[in-house]
Amino acid sequence: MTLDPDTTITIRHGKTGDDEASRMPRLIAAFECRRPLSPGLRVSLRDVDEVTIGRGTERRWTRAGRILRITLPDQEMSRLHVRLVRRPDGWNLQDAGSKNGTMVDNVATSYCALADGDLIEVGGTFLVYRDDPVRDVEPSDRDLVAEQVVPEVFRTLSLELERGVGDLARIAPTLVPVLIVGETGTGKELAAEAVHALSGRRGPFVPINCGALPRTLVESELFGYRRGAFSGARDDRTGLARKADGGTLFLDEVAELPEESQVALLRLLQNGEVRAIGSADLVKVDVRVIAATHQDLRARIGDGRFRRDLYGRLCGYEMVMPALRDRPEDIGSLIAALLRRLGVDDPAFSIHPRAAHAFFTYQYPMNVRELEQALRTAVALVTGHEVGVRHLPEAMRAPAPAPGKQLRPEDVALRAQLVEILRESEGNIAATARALDKAPVQVRRWCRRLGIDLAEYRKY
């Protein structure tokens, strides 16, 4: 099907509710402390009734009937370390008498029901259990070791992001405009570069940060100017829109464009024409525009700060980049990729389990960008072969409660009740659950949502 460049089809990609989605349990071998350069592995639990996890000579997973066997080359893991067993009400974890024990959300555990997002520590390996609602994507087995040539933004074990980048790959060769939305540091520019790489366009990828330019320079940077157009314009200058001819113009933080620049951009999107400041001539250009923002454009339209017709031209397909805290299954793989980018190739390089736990539980208000800076700092500080907690930024050593919406009054009351019982029971999940007449899995779900760190109440 050929898509007309003037056709706007708005598609929003993002999380949906549970009502129309099915739950697809999967297990992610997310990180190995002694092999931090090895990316993650995801296995589907859809047609499985039991999983055994233990030490082996290599990372391997095999299925025999409805039993899944996973071996990992972790010398701190027992040959048979832990079992996961499907029950009518969900998946349960059972430690198999391992030498070093099993931790779930930083609490020593011999048996527990698993909840979506649980962080499981066996030996020096961190696993993440996911059981959130999914749609349109089958959570098949996926080994990122075999995907090193794939663009970085496409290497993910998150079903939400996998679905989004799959759509981006199909959108890329068309002329459908793309709007990428997400918090600061989530990789919006990486996604835009991937769209350009897959588009087949022979021109360059030209980025511009609309929020970093003074208001008076936006149009001159975008569209160029003629000599003498204003004070200081000593020569003709070709704008970035013309430099991107035949390629892609990436408008980062497009919400920051002043209104007069929005009008000029609309002309480019409607007619493929630009007019340099001080010129009477319109110049035709062949440019694909990709825009990104961390702002709520609909709210800005309602406030009169962003043109509705421009939004209609920019938003053919809207890709929502999830926050890093919402895809813990990718943290290990991101660490591996970022360490390689930082030049780490020492096979003896490792990350202490306590430091690894900090990497997995920190909330990353600045997302992947903050993870990269933390690793850059740690690599610079470490004098031996192992990154420890002391090499991490202070914010990660003593993380603040999870950011998010202000708690509702009923949640404030529930949090206070949970904290009181956890203190009395010294962090015992089973005892807390009995006191509330709830399942232990529900207690852990509440604690995660309300920002309660169970390790703070555990008796040492």
Side-chain angles (χ1 to χ4, degrees):
M1 178 179 70
T2 301
L3 293 173
D4 188 301
D6 290 333
T7 300
T8 299
I9 51 172
T10 300
I11 309 171
R12 283 188 57 80
H13 166 71
K15 290 186 177 180
T16 57
D18 293 14
D19 52 339
E20 299 178 7
S22 58
R23 307 185 79 89
M24 293 289 184
R26 62 257 186 217
L27 184 68
I28 295 89
F31 186 70
E32 299 174 47
C33 293
R34 302 301 172 193
R35 300 197 315 153
L37 298 178
S38 179
L41 160 72
R42 183 184 72 206
V43 290
S44 171
L45 304 183
R46 181 175 183 178
D47 298 316
V48 175
D49 290 330
E50 181 179 345
V51 182
T52 63
I53 304 169
R55 185 181 73 249
T57 57
E58 60 182 350
R59 187 167 81 175
R60 187 180 180 191
W61 69 103
T62 58
R63 285 179 166 82
R66 298 184 67 86
I67 297 177
L68 170 65
R69 294 184 173 87
I70 301 174
T71 61
L72 299 162
D74 181 350
Q75 294 306 307
E76 298 175 41
M77 189 181 295
S78 298
R79 188 169 296 278
L80 175 59
H81 198 108
V82 71
R83 286 189 177 90
L84 272 62
V85 179
R86 184 196 295 271
R87 301 296 186 199
D89 57 347
W91 281 86
N92 288 351
L93 176 146
Q94 303 172 1
D95 183 86
S98 65
K99 180 179 178 180
N100 292 324
T102 299
M103 307 274 281
V104 177
D105 288 340
N106 207 30
V107 176
T109 304
S110 58
Y111 178 91
C112 71
L114 291 174
D116 176 51
D118 275 347
L119 181 64
I120 305 167
E121 186 178 348
V122 288
T125 299
F126 286 78
L127 303 105
V128 178
Y129 172 78
R130 297 308 308 261
D131 189 21
D132 55 337
V134 297
R135 168 197 309 273
D136 303 330
V137 169
E138 178 69 26
S140 57
D141 295 354
R142 191 169 185 183
D143 185 359
L144 295 191
V145 169
E147 299 184 15
Q148 294 300 291
V149 297
V150 176
E152 187 174 305
V153 73
F154 286 176
R155 296 198 296 266
T156 178
L157 299 175
S158 161
L159 289 187
E160 180 187 359
L161 187 54
E162 181 180 332
R163 181 170 53 240
V165 297
D167 289 344
L168 277 183
R170 289 185 286 274
I171 290 289
T174 74
L175 294 176
V176 174
V178 175
L179 176 64
I180 305 173
V181 180
E183 295 179 9
T184 297
T186 50
K188 297 187 290 294
E189 185 167 347
L190 279 176
E193 288 177 341
V195 172
H196 172 71
L198 294 173
S199 70
R201 299 182 67 83
R202 298 185 178 182
F205 176 82
V206 179
I208 178 173
N209 188 331
C210 302
L213 290 174
R215 188 180 184 92
T216 56
L217 295 182
V218 173
E219 285 190 64
S220 61
E221 287 292 318
L222 272 175
F223 309 118
Y225 53 80
R226 297 294 298 273
R227 184 176 62 182
F230 50 83
S231 177
R234 297 184 178 88
D235 300 293
D236 290 347
R237 178 163 182 174
T238 301
L240 295 178
R242 290 180 64 184
K243 286 184 179 179
D245 192 25
T248 300
L249 180 65
F250 174 56
L251 302 174
D252 198 8
E253 297 306 337
V254 70
E256 305 300 329
L257 279 176
E259 186 174 358
E260 57 271 20
S261 301
Q262 294 179 32
V263 174
L265 179 58
L266 188 60
R267 184 190 305 122
L268 169 62
L269 293 170
Q270 286 178 329
N271 305 319
E273 298 174 339
V274 296
R275 189 199 308 273
I277 296 175
S279 173
D281 299 325
L282 290 170
V283 178
K284 280 282 187 181
V285 290
D286 173 21
V287 171
R288 198 244 184 99
V289 174
I290 300 177
T293 183
H294 73 281
Q295 303 277 4
D296 184 343
L297 285 184
R298 290 176 179 80
R300 293 178 80 90
I301 290 171
D303 294 342
R305 291 181 291 167
F306 201 83
R307 295 180 62 98
R308 185 180 301 275
D309 50 358
L310 178 56
Y311 175 79
R313 289 287 177 179
L314 290 173
C315 184
Y317 172 77
E318 183 173 333
M319 168 69 181
V320 179
M321 294 295 292
L324 181 54
R325 62 183 171 273
D326 292 332
R327 51 184 185 117
E329 59 266 55
D330 277 341
I331 289 176
S333 299
L334 286 168
I335 289 174
L338 293 170
L339 286 175
R340 292 185 185 279
R341 187 188 298 176
L342 293 170
V344 176
D345 56 7
D346 182 359
F349 186 87
S350 65
I351 296 180
H352 191 277
R354 285 184 59 202
H357 186 268
F359 275 119
F360 272 90
T361 55
Y362 183 59
Q363 293 297 305
Y364 297 102
M366 300 299 288
N367 293 289
V368 180
R369 189 173 299 152
E370 189 171 11
L371 172 60
E372 182 174 9
Q373 292 296 349
L375 287 168
R376 190 183 302 276
T377 301
V379 169
L381 290 176
V382 71
T383 54
H385 296 287
E386 184 177 70
V387 169
V389 173
R390 67 184 184 87
H391 300 123
L392 304 183
E394 178 61 30
M396 294 186 66
R397 282 181 268 163
K405 299 179 180 178
Q406 186 173 356
L407 294 181
R408 298 171 297 176
E410 56 267 34
D411 283 339
V412 172
L414 174 60
R415 194 182 195 283
Q417 184 182 22
L418 282 167
V419 166
E420 181 181 357
I421 299 173
L422 285 167
R423 283 175 179 160
E424 293 175 354
S425 65
E426 297 178 333
N428 187 308
I429 293 294
T432 303
R434 286 195 296 272
L436 295 170
D437 194 23
K438 295 291 182 180
V441 66
Q442 181 61 60
V443 172
R444 284 208 306 283
R445 284 174 180 155
W446 278 336
C447 290
R448 185 177 296 111
R449 180 169 65 84
L450 299 173
I452 298 173
D453 184 358
L454 293 171
E456 294 182 7
Y457 305 94
R458 188 180 61 184
K459 183 177 181 180
Y460 289 92

